Amino acid sequence: MPIYWAFLTYMLLKPGEENNEYWFMFNGIDKALHVSIFAMLGFCFIATFPKIKFSYFFQIILIYAFLTEIFQEEMGLGRSMESLDIVADTIGCLMGYSIYKVLIKRFF
């Protein structure tokens, strides 16, 4: 969990690049990436701390999403703060939480 969190922080704060030359790049890929990485973060977080209250889980992930967006803006490394990224992060975290709960109900 700490390794994924550190890797995620690095990826969210590293200098930005705009590469539209790859075949898999499309408009809005950054939002899809935000949803997927925060779904994984939400899943790993709730799997690590399964007894945490949902409100605490949600607050921790949301604060992390806000902080990374603020740091992107303030660090001046070619990244900018986008409110839709926070929405994508929130959706991703809720997806990870939901997937974990469904898997737990089904297999345990």
Side-chain angles (χ1 to χ4, degrees):
M1 177 71 189
I3 293 171
Y4 181 71
W5 208 303
F7 174 73
L8 180 58
T9 302
Y10 168 75
M11 293 304 291
L12 289 170
L13 297 179
K14 74 179 190 122
E17 299 174 12
E18 290 295 325
N19 280 328
N20 293 324
E21 60 194 49
Y22 299 111
W23 63 269
F24 58 85
M25 301 299 270
F26 58 89
N27 223 3
I29 191 170
D30 62 325
K31 303 306 177 253
L33 291 173
H34 273 268
V35 168
S36 62
I37 61 177
F38 271 82
M40 184 65 176
L41 177 64
F43 182 88
C44 290
F45 189 82
I46 196 64
T48 305
F49 304 105
K51 298 199 184 291
I52 193 170
K53 290 183 179 181
F54 176 76
S55 60
Y56 294 150
F57 163 81
F58 190 68
Q59 288 173 12
I60 290 168
I61 300 292
L62 199 57
I63 288 169
Y64 179 72
F66 272 105
L67 285 175
T68 55
E69 289 300 316
I70 290 168
F71 287 151
Q72 284 178 3
E73 183 71 29
E74 295 300 319
M75 290 175 70
L77 296 174
R79 308 291 296 257
S80 62
M81 182 176 177
E82 293 184 37
S83 57
L84 285 179
D85 283 348
I86 295 171
V87 171
D89 298 345
T90 303
I91 291 169
C93 122
L94 294 174
M95 285 175 57
Y97 182 88
S98 300
I99 290 168
Y100 176 80
K101 290 298 182 179
V102 166
L103 290 175
I104 287 300
K105 280 185 180 179
R106 177 169 275 197
F107 295 110
F108 296 104

